[in-house]
Amino acid sequence: MSQTVAPISNRPVEDLLPAATAMGSVTLLVGDLDLMTAYYRDGVMLQVLRAEGDEVSLGRHGVELLVLRHDPSLPPGSPRSAGLFHTAFLFEDHASLAAVVASLAVRAPRTFAGSSDHLVSEAFYFTDPEGNGVELYVDRPRESWVWTGDRVKQVAMATNYLDPNRFLAEHLTDEARDLVATTDRRLPPTLPGAVVGHVHLQVGDVPTARDFYVAKLGFEETTTYGTQALFVAAGGYHHHMAMNTWNSAGAGPRVPALGLGTVDIVLPTAQDVAALSDRMRGHGVDVRHDGAVLRLNDPWNNLIEVRAA
């Protein structure tokens, strides 16, 4: 599902994340592990890969996409604080996406929050039982994306209405209808794959986010919505991460609470991870690198873990 192209800006390549950068899993700190596992297993149709003690790992075909970590000692997070806006799961095709949208329509209809045609993608939005945002989407072909600008390119994105009923009528297969209708919670091994396509954060302000995620971490800016939202990526993708202030303008560093635990970023090689560690130290960012995983916190105390593929 992932492709890369040349950088979209004229910055030195050594200041950028590798073109083959991808998002890894997202960890959520949860208060009700059984409820949240059921939502992502039965509704979002992720397979349970591992369940040990207070932690459940879910994904598809052995690829971990989401980790639920039980911590009932934490209070609920505030919707006005910095943290997670949504985790976005990218599906292989329209039929794969339609199956999950239909599953949630049947098993958790009250969690539906909207749908949009973004020009580069078609997306459906949900809110899980503990208030974490979820995006389910499929990309339009890369050759249809429109990039503007000469020295610095930006991708054209929009928030156009997407009719969920029409989408399901056009793309939901008979096999998916049968799967959604069954009471058997065992997902078939033929279920198409999925990845975490991007992670969208709530932050206190966009200039600080740009300084950290673009100037220091090495993503390229792909588009902005004025002073309210920033979209960034590596390798010419429309966005691997985004940051907005729609609910959280002025928010300071996070305090311990339920919600976002960790965002994983995957670089091609261990040498890439080591180079990023050196670059972030050069920018004065506190990093912890144990030889395998590079850990750093953004200005709002969101924990980022970077590892090699």
Side-chain angles (χ1 to χ4, degrees), residues 3-50:
Q3 296 177 329
T4 57
V5 297
I8 61 172
S9 66
N10 58 1
R11 294 169 59 191
V13 66
E14 59 269 22
D15 292 340
L16 298 174
L17 291 172
T21 295
M23 302 308 295
S25 61
V26 169
T27 298
L28 297 179
L29 307 177
V30 304
D32 189 328
L33 185 59
D34 291 340
L35 177 66
M36 293 287 278
T37 299
Y39 182 82
Y40 285 98
R41 180 193 63 213
D42 304 338
V44 185
M45 299 173 72
L46 299 181
Q47 298 156 325
V48 173
L49 305 178
R50 173 176 51 84

Side-chain angles (χ1 to χ4, degrees), residues 126-143:
F126 297 83
T127 304
D128 76 19
E130 295 196 357
N132 301 291
V134 180
E135 177 181 341
L136 312 173
Y137 76 110
V138 62
D139 277 335
R140 293 192 184 279
R142 276 184 176 246
E143 56 268 23

Side-chain angles (χ1 to χ4, degrees), residues 45-124:
M45 299 173 72
L46 299 181
Q47 298 156 325
V48 173
L49 305 178
R50 173 176 51 84
E52 300 173 352
D54 291 335
E55 192 168 283
V56 174
S57 164
L58 301 103
R60 285 199 178 179
H61 301 302
V63 178
E64 183 179 87
L65 306 182
L66 183 70
V67 176
L68 303 176
R69 186 172 298 149
H70 188 219
D71 193 341
S73 69
L74 293 176
S78 166
R80 298 292 181 184
S81 71
L84 184 68
F85 189 65
H86 61 236
T87 303
F89 299 101
L90 172 61
F91 294 88
E92 291 185 350
D93 51 39
H94 287 87
S96 304
L97 173 58
V100 181
V101 173
S103 173
L104 284 165
V106 170
R107 294 169 181 156
R110 294 184 178 180
T111 67
F112 178 66
S115 52
S116 294
D117 181 341
H118 293 304
L119 303 182
V120 296
S121 63
E122 295 165 279
F124 294 83

Side-chain angles (χ1 to χ4, degrees), residues 130-195:
E130 295 196 357
N132 301 291
V134 180
E135 177 181 341
L136 312 173
Y137 76 110
V138 62
D139 277 335
R140 293 192 184 279
R142 276 184 176 246
E143 56 268 23
S144 72
W145 301 357
V146 176
W147 294 86
T148 59
D150 296 322
R151 192 175 66 86
V152 178
K153 295 183 181 297
Q154 293 210 332
V155 67
M157 295 177 64
T159 306
N160 298 329
Y161 177 66
L162 176 63
D163 186 335
N165 293 317
R166 181 174 180 179
F167 184 91
L168 291 176
E170 292 178 352
H171 300 296
L172 190 62
T173 66
D174 290 338
E175 292 80 5
R177 292 179 194 275
D178 293 341
L179 181 60
V180 170
T182 183
T183 57
D184 188 347
R185 295 297 182 258
R186 292 173 298 178
L187 296 174
T190 56
L191 205 64
V195 298

Side-chain angles (χ1 to χ4, degrees), residues 213-226:
Y213 285 99
V214 177
K216 293 176 180 174
L217 194 62
F219 279 116
E220 295 180 280
E221 181 176 323
T222 56
T223 198
T224 58
Y225 288 171

